[in-house]
Amino acid sequence: MSKLYSMAAYILLGRSILTSAFTSTSTRTQTSKFGNRLRHVYSAAPTDVKSSSSNSKLADLFKNRGDKVAPRLRFAPSPTGSLHVGGARTALYNWLLAQQAKLEPSNQGAVLQPGFVLRVEDTDQARSTKESEESVLADLKWLGLIWEEGPDSETNIGPYRQSERMLTGLYQELADYLISEGKAYKCFLTNEELDAMKAAQEVDGSNVRTESPWREASEEDVQKAIDEGKEYTIRFKVPANSRVVINDAVRGTVSWDAEKTVGDFVLLRSNGMPVYNYCVAVDDANMGITTVIRAEEHLTNTVRQVLILDALGATRPTYAHCSLILGQDKQKLSKRHGATSCTQFKEDGFLPDAMINYLSLLGWNDGTDNEIFTRDELIEAFELDRVVKSPAVFDEDKLRWINAQHLKRLEMSEVVTYVQEALSSRHSGAGDDLKLAELITILARQFMDTTVAPVENMEKVLGYGLTSFDNLSEDAKEMVSKGYFYNVAKGLIESFEKNELPLPNAQTIDRLFYDKDSVPIIEDSESSNAGAYDFAEAYKVHMKQFSKDLGKGFKGQKFFHPLRLALTGEMSGQDVTKQLALVEYITSKNIEVNCDVVPMNSRIETLKSFIETIPEDLRAPPKEEPKQAKKESEKSVQSAPVELVVAAPTDPLESYEGPSVAALDIRVGEVKECKNHEEADRLLCEVVDVGEVDEDGNPKYRNIASGLREYYNPEDIVGRKVLVLCNLKARKLVGFPSHGMLLCASSKEENGEKSNVQLISVPSDAKIGERITIPDVNFEEEGMPMAENKIGKKKILEKLLPSLKTSKYGVPEFCERPFMTSAGVCTTSINDGTVG
C-alpha cells in the first residue's frame, strides 16, 4: 500500500499546502495592487483530512509540503478541432488573472509558482488528433496567451497531456485507493442491465441514475465475478443524502442533490480508460489549480468533480462558469454564424490584440464606457467580479470596429507588414513587393478595418465590372438612367483615342501616394506631391475643361459620378487618380496577382461595348423647358382645376443647385484653452488645435471667438473635440482676433422659448485636423476648400446654410447626408435643428 500512498501524494501535492494556505490568506491584509482582485483564488473552503487510521499515512505524506500556495489557473482544451471563440475567451480570462498573480509580490516564493497552466485533455482517442493540438497551441501563441507550464514543459507535476499521464498508472492507482477507502467499487453491470434500469426509471418519471447492486457487494462476490472473467467498471460511491454546494464566482451559490442527480458514476471504464470528470478532478488537484474559469456548459460536471476532490481530501478550487456566447439569432454560436475559429479570424485580417480586446468584452466590462484596451490595460482592469451571468452576443461588426481602432494606433510600417502578409497569402507572386504593399495600404488606410481589406480593395480596383446595362447594380442603373453617363463615357473614349486623356506614369507614381517628405498621403483630400509631370493635377485640369465642354448641367455629382463609374467600373471608392495609378504600377511592373487586371486600354474597349447596351432614351439628360414656356406652363397649372397628387420623395442632393459643400474646410479640432471675453458678455475666447504646424513643425493653434457664453462655462469646453470651419477670413471680435468658427446645432424657437445651442459632438477617436467627409460628395473631385477671401465675397456659407441641418435623430447633415469623420458619425442631442 506504500506505493499507492506515494502515488496519491504525488498527485495531490500535499493537502496541507492548500489547507494552510487558505487559512493564512483568509487573515492576511491585502494591500498590494492585485490582492483584492485575486481573492477568488483563495476563497474555496478546504475539506479537512480526516485523522482516522486509514488516512494517517496519507496525511503524513502531505504534512511537510509547505504553507504557501499561489494563484494558479489553467486552460484545458480537448484537441478535437480548432480553437473557437468560446475557448479563446476562457483561456483569456484565466490568463489575465494569472498575469495579475505573477505581478503580486506576495506570491513570490510559493511552493508552486503562480501562472497559467496549459493542459491538453486528449482522452477522447477517437476524436483527438495531433494536428488539432498543434492548431490550438498555435492559436494561443498567436493571441499572445503564453503559458508558464504546458506540454512543452518538464516539471515534477507533468506531463501535461492526459494521454501521457494515463501511462504513469496514476488514475488506476488512485481509483484503487478510493476502493480501499470504501469510496468507490467495482461494478459488473452489463450494458443490457444498465439500459433496462434506465428504461424503468424513465417510465417511473424518476431521475436517470445508476443504482448498482454491486455498491455493497462483498469481497467474495466481487472476486467470484472477476474469476468468472466478467468485465467491470470502477464506480464512485456517492455518499447517501449528499449535497454539493459551491459558491460560483459568476453565478453565485449553486447546489445539487448529488445522490438524486448523478447516482454512482464511472471513474474507469471496463477497458481501464479514465473518464473525463475523473481526470479533470485529479489533474486540478495534482497541478495545484486554485481557480477554474470555464464555460457555463461545464457547470453540471462540477458536482462529480467536487465529489472526487472531497473523497481524495483535496481542496476544491474556486469555480467561475461564464455564460455562453450566442450568435445574432440568440442561438449558441456555431459555424453557421460564420467565422468562429481563431485561425479563420487570423486569416481574415484581425489583429491578435484586437481579438483579445473584443473577447474580453464578451461578458465583462470595467464599469466605464471604455471599449478599447491594450493587453496591459486589460491585465490592470480585469476583475472576475465584473463577469456577468447573462449570455454575450457575438457581433462581428463590433469586432471589426475594435480592430479598426487598433489598426489606427499602429505605425504605418507596422500596418504594411501585416498587409504584406495578407498579400503574400492571397497573391504569392506579389508578396515580395514591399512597395505594392505600401501603395495598397495607403489607398485603403482611411477605411480599413482588417489587414486583408487593402488586398481586397486592390482586387476590386484592378478589376472592371462594366458588362451591360442590365447587369448593373440598382444604384448604378439608376445613375446611368439619368442620362448623363452616356455623354461622359463617350467623351472619355474620344479623349483617350486622341491621346488627350491624362494617364498615370509608373515612374512618377510616388507623387500621388507620398508627400515631398516621403510621408504617405492618407486622406483623399490631401494634395499630391507636384513634380515635372503631375498626373493628379493634369487629370484635374483636364476634367474641369471636359465638364465645361459637355455643357450646362454636367457638373458636381452629375459629372463626377458618371466619370468614376466609367473609369473604375464602381460607384464609389478612393481617389480615382490613385486607383488608376495602382493599375498602371502593377501592369508596368508585370506583377503576378491572382485576380483580373484591366489596364486603361482594355477599360476603354469594354466601355465602348457597354454604352451600346444603354437604351436610346437614357443616352441624354432630360431637356430643360425654356423659361418663357415654363412660365406659361406654370400659369396654366395655376388656372387648371386642383387635383391632389402625392409627390414621389425626392433626393435633396439631386435637386440641390447651390455651391459645393466641399468649398467649406470643416476640420476636427480640440479646444486647448477657453475663457470669458473681458468686454463682451456673450463671447467665449477659445484656443483650438486644428492640426496645423508652424515652419519648425510645432503645433500652431487658432484663436476663435464664439457666442456660446450663455450655453457653456469655459471649463466645459476645454479638452473637447469640436468641428471648426477653418476657411473663414481672420477678423477681430471686440478686440479678440478670431480665425474660424465652431460649428453648433440650434433648435427652433417655439412658443416664445429661446432656442437651444449645442456644440456638435465629434467621435472621441477622430483625428485632430482631419477634414470631415459627407457621403455622395467627392471632396477630391469637387475641388479643394475655397480660399478664405472667396468664401466671404461669394457668400458661400450663407448659400449653404439652408442645407445644413440636424436630422430627427440629431445627426448634423448636408442634404440628408451625415457629417463623417474617420472614427464615425458626428452627433448632437438637438433634433430637427439647424447647423451653423
Side-chain angles (χ1 to χ4, degrees):
M1 203 66 178
S2 61
K3 180 182 178 184
L4 179 59
Y5 285 135
S6 176
M7 181 60 69
Y10 167 77
I11 298 304
L12 299 178
L13 281 179
R15 173 84 175 93
S16 60
I17 303 177
L18 303 177
T19 304
S20 60
F22 280 104
T23 303
S24 62
T25 55
S26 64
T27 59
R28 181 170 58 208
T29 301
Q30 300 286 355
T31 58
S32 61
K33 190 174 188 180
F34 296 109
N36 189 51
R37 295 179 188 176
L38 295 172
R39 67 183 181 279
H40 284 299
V41 299
Y42 300 115
S43 64
T47 304
D48 292 335
V49 177
K50 295 179 180 179
S51 57
S52 66
S53 58
S54 62
N55 279 328
S56 59
K57 291 183 179 180
L58 192 60
D60 288 341
L61 286 169
F62 288 157
K63 69 180 181 181
N64 294 316
R65 294 286 181 169
D67 61 354
K68 185 175 181 183
V69 63
R72 290 169 58 82
L73 298 101
R74 52 82 162 172
F75 178 55
S78 297
T80 57
S82 301
L83 179 65
H84 288 261
V85 168
R89 182 190 64 173
T90 297
L92 172 62
Y93 284 1
N94 281 285
W95 183 84
L96 288 172
L97 280 184
Q99 302 319 297
Q100 291 180 1
K102 287 164 60 181
L103 294 171
E104 169 66 24
S106 64
N107 291 325
Q108 305 308 312
V111 174
L112 290 178
Q113 290 300 303
F116 179 54
V117 177
L118 177 63
R119 185 174 74 225
V120 179
E121 297 183 341
D122 57 351
T123 52
D124 187 344
Q125 295 179 325
R127 298 174 60 215
S128 297
T129 66
K130 189 66 177 177
E131 293 75 19
S132 290
E133 179 186 318
E134 291 173 352
S135 173
V136 170
L137 268 59
D139 285 338
L140 288 171
K141 289 178 180 177
W142 174 68
L143 289 169
L145 305 181
I146 307 302
W147 48 93
E148 279 69 47
E149 300 171 29
D152 51 356
S153 306
E154 292 187 8
T155 71
N156 61 358
I157 57 173
Y160 293 86
R161 292 185 184 91
Q162 284 183 342
S163 58
E164 295 174 1
R165 296 171 71 79
M166 285 169 52
L167 299 178
T168 67
L170 59 94
Y171 300 120
Q172 176 67 54
E173 293 198 47
L174 277 179
D176 290 343
Y177 164 72
L178 289 173
I179 291 175
S180 72
E181 291 291 302
K183 297 176 180 178
Y185 61 93
K186 295 173 182 177
C187 176
F188 296 87
L189 285 174
T190 65
N191 289 334
E192 291 75 16
E193 290 172 323
L194 289 169
D195 290 342
M197 183 184 300
K198 178 180 178 181
Q201 290 172 342
E202 288 176 344
V203 170
D204 294 341
S206 56
N207 291 329
V208 176
R209 64 194 186 284
T210 300
E211 296 176 345
S212 175
W214 293 94
R215 177 181 170 108
E216 304 297 342
S218 65
E219 291 185 12
E220 292 76 10
D221 289 341
V222 170
Q223 188 58 49
K224 180 181 178 182
I226 293 174
D227 293 340
E228 292 174 355
K230 292 183 178 179
E231 291 187 344
Y232 64 87
T233 61
I234 295 180
R235 288 186 179 274
F236 184 84
K237 186 183 292 185
V238 176
N241 304 315
S242 60
R243 188 171 191 83
V244 172
V245 181
I246 65 168
N247 183 24
D248 192 281
V250 173
R251 320 200 80 78
T253 301
V254 184
S255 63
W256 297 268
D257 184 329
E259 185 180 22
K260 291 182 179 179
T261 303
V262 296
D264 291 352
F265 53 90
V266 174
L267 298 179
L268 295 181
R269 298 184 179 91
S270 58
N271 61 1
M273 180 71 67
V275 299
Y276 169 79
N277 284 308
Y278 178 47
C279 290
V280 169
V282 168
D283 292 345
D284 282 345
N286 172 215
M287 296 177 179
I289 302 302
T290 57
T291 299
V292 174
I293 304 174
R294 57 189 179 185
E296 176 186 6
E297 57 199 13
H298 287 283
L299 186 60
T300 54
N301 293 326
T302 309
V303 61
R304 293 174 174 84
Q305 293 168 19
V306 165
L307 286 168
I308 293 168
L309 290 170
D310 289 352
L312 290 171
T315 302
R316 303 176 186 179
T318 292
Y319 292 98
H321 290 89
C322 302
S323 62
L324 295 176
I325 300 176
L326 309 179
Q328 293 289 334
D329 58 358
K330 302 300 187 291
Q331 300 299 310
K332 185 180 177 182
L333 191 67
S334 65
K335 289 182 179 179
R336 72 175 184 275
H337 294 104
T340 59
S341 72
C342 290
T343 300
Q344 188 61 55
F345 286 117
K346 178 182 178 182
E347 292 174 356
D348 288 346
F350 291 93
L351 300 176
D353 279 358
M355 284 298 301
I356 289 295
N357 187 163
Y358 181 66
L359 290 172
S360 72
L361 301 177
L362 292 176
W364 170 87
N365 67 78
D366 70 343
T368 72
D369 293 332
N370 185 28
E371 294 183 307
I372 305 300
F373 295 89
T374 64
R375 198 174 294 260
D376 287 342
E377 287 169 345
L378 281 174
I379 293 173
E380 171 77 24
F382 185 78
E383 296 183 50
L384 204 52
D385 283 343
R386 296 202 62 82
V387 176
V388 299
K389 288 190 285 187
S390 55
V393 176
F394 188 84
D395 183 350
E396 186 169 332
D397 290 339
K398 181 68 170 294
L399 170 59
R400 286 181 175 275
W401 178 80
I402 288 176
N403 201 56
Q405 306 314 304
H406 281 269
L407 281 168
K408 290 172 185 176
R409 294 184 175 194
L410 297 180
E411 295 293 333
M412 186 68 174
S413 59
E414 296 177 281
V415 180
V416 170
T417 299
Y418 281 114
V419 172
Q420 189 171 18
E421 291 176 4
L423 184 62
S424 298
S425 176
R426 295 170 71 119
H427 303 275
S428 56
D432 293 334
D433 196 316
L434 178 61
K435 180 64 171 291
L436 177 59
E438 288 180 352
L439 296 180
I440 65 175
T441 302
I442 293 170
L443 191 62
R445 184 80 161 109
Q446 199 172 1
F447 69 85
M448 64 183 289
D449 55 10
T450 68
T451 59
V452 173
V455 183
E456 294 172 335
N457 183 65
M458 178 197 75
E459 294 165 352
K460 186 177 178 182
V461 167
L462 297 180
Y464 189 74
L466 293 185
T467 54
S468 69
F469 176 80
D470 290 338
N471 289 334
L472 288 175
S473 63
E474 288 303 315
D475 57 340
K477 188 176 290 185
E478 181 183 354
M479 188 270 287
V480 171
S481 298
K482 293 174 182 176
Y484 295 93
F485 178 86
Y486 182 86
N487 289 278
V488 171
K490 196 169 182 182
L492 271 180
I493 294 168
E494 293 174 359
S495 180
F496 178 82
E497 292 179 339
K498 291 178 181 179
N499 293 321
E500 295 174 353
L501 182 66
L503 297 175
N505 184 327
Q507 280 68 45
T508 60
I509 192 173
D510 284 3
R511 295 171 186 158
L512 279 165
F513 289 85
Y514 304 90
D515 67 16
K516 57 183 173 54
D517 297 319
S518 298
V519 176
I521 300 173
I522 304 301
E523 307 287 346
D524 280 348
S525 58
E526 294 183 30
S527 60
S528 63
N529 176 17
Y533 173 69
D534 186 352
F535 169 52
E537 186 62 30
Y539 175 89
K540 189 179 296 184
V541 170
H542 180 84
M543 294 309 169
K544 187 174 182 179
Q545 185 60 48
F546 183 21
S547 174
K548 290 181 179 178
D549 293 342
L550 286 172
K552 188 177 180 181
F554 286 85
K555 62 180 181 178
Q557 63 176 337
K558 294 176 182 177
F559 173 69
F560 287 110
H561 283 190
L563 182 66
R564 174 181 287 278
L565 182 63
L567 288 172
T568 69
E570 300 290 339
M571 285 288 289
S572 61
Q574 304 84 42
D575 174 38
V576 172
T577 60
K578 289 180 182 177
Q579 292 192 48
L580 297 180
L582 180 63
V583 176
E584 174 62 20
Y585 177 81
I586 289 177
T587 53
S588 65
K589 298 286 186 181
N590 293 316
I591 298 173
E592 294 183 12
V593 291
N594 302 325
C595 63
D596 292 334
V597 181
V598 185
M600 182 59 75
N601 59 337
S602 299
R603 293 177 185 232
I604 294 298
E605 290 303 314
T606 302
L607 186 59
K608 284 182 183 179
S609 302
F610 174 78
I611 62 175
E612 294 305 315
T613 68
I614 299 175
E616 291 284 347
D617 60 333
L618 302 180
R619 296 186 177 187
K623 292 182 179 180
E624 288 191 11
E625 198 174 3
K627 289 184 179 180
Q628 185 60 34
K630 188 176 181 180
K631 288 181 180 179
E632 292 177 0
S633 175
E634 289 173 352
K635 288 181 181 179
S636 63
V637 168
Q638 290 172 3
S639 60
V642 177
E643 294 184 12
L644 283 176
V645 178
V646 178
T650 59
D651 184 343
L653 190 57
E654 292 288 341
S655 57
Y656 176 74
E657 296 183 351
S660 172
V661 71
L664 301 181
D665 184 13
I666 303 175
R667 295 186 229 160
V668 174
E670 183 178 41
V671 179
K672 296 295 185 180
E673 300 176 21
C674 182
K675 64 179 181 178
N676 293 325
H677 195 289
E678 294 180 357
E679 299 178 20
D681 293 338
R682 298 181 61 188
L683 293 183
L684 288 178
C685 301
E686 299 97 2
V687 177
V688 185
D689 180 4
V690 291
E692 296 172 329
V693 294
D694 60 22
E695 294 179 355
D696 298 323
N698 299 316
K700 180 182 176 182
Y701 299 152
R702 290 197 181 201
N703 291 326
I704 299 176
S706 65
L708 296 173
R709 189 163 173 177
E710 60 181 307
Y711 303 101
Y712 291 96
N713 293 317
E715 60 270 20
D716 297 333
I717 297 180
V718 174
R720 178 169 179 160
K721 286 186 177 177
V722 293
L723 290 187
V724 183
L725 178 55
C726 290
N727 55 339
L728 291 181
K729 198 170 182 179
R731 57 178 179 155
K732 286 191 175 183
L733 291 177
V734 196
F736 183 79
S738 180
H739 192 189
M741 181 174 77
L742 303 188
L743 288 188
C744 300
S746 304
S747 62
K748 299 174 183 177
E749 293 188 19
E750 293 183 0
N751 302 324
E753 291 188 11
K754 186 172 62 175
S755 63
N756 185 23
V757 176
Q758 288 189 3
L759 287 165
I760 291 174
S761 297
V762 179
S764 59
D765 292 327
K767 294 180 288 185
I768 303 298
E770 72 168 290
R771 194 178 175 200
I772 69 159
T773 57
I774 294 172
D776 299 327
V777 176
N778 193 311
F779 282 72
E780 173 67 15
E781 294 173 350
E782 295 192 20
M784 297 295 288
M786 192 171 286
E788 293 179 356
N789 58 338
K790 289 186 179 180
I791 286 283
K793 286 182 180 179
K794 296 189 175 184
K795 300 187 180 301
I796 299 299
L797 181 59
E798 289 85 343
K799 294 176 181 177
L800 282 163
L801 283 176
S803 300
L804 301 178
K805 301 177 181 178
T806 62
S807 71
K808 63 181 179 179
Y809 303 109
V811 176
E813 298 178 334
F814 168 74
C815 291
E816 298 183 2
R817 270 74 172 174
F819 287 15
M820 299 283 295
T821 71
S822 60
V825 179
C826 299
T827 59
T828 76
S829 61
I830 293 179
N831 306 328
D832 297 317
T834 59
V835 173

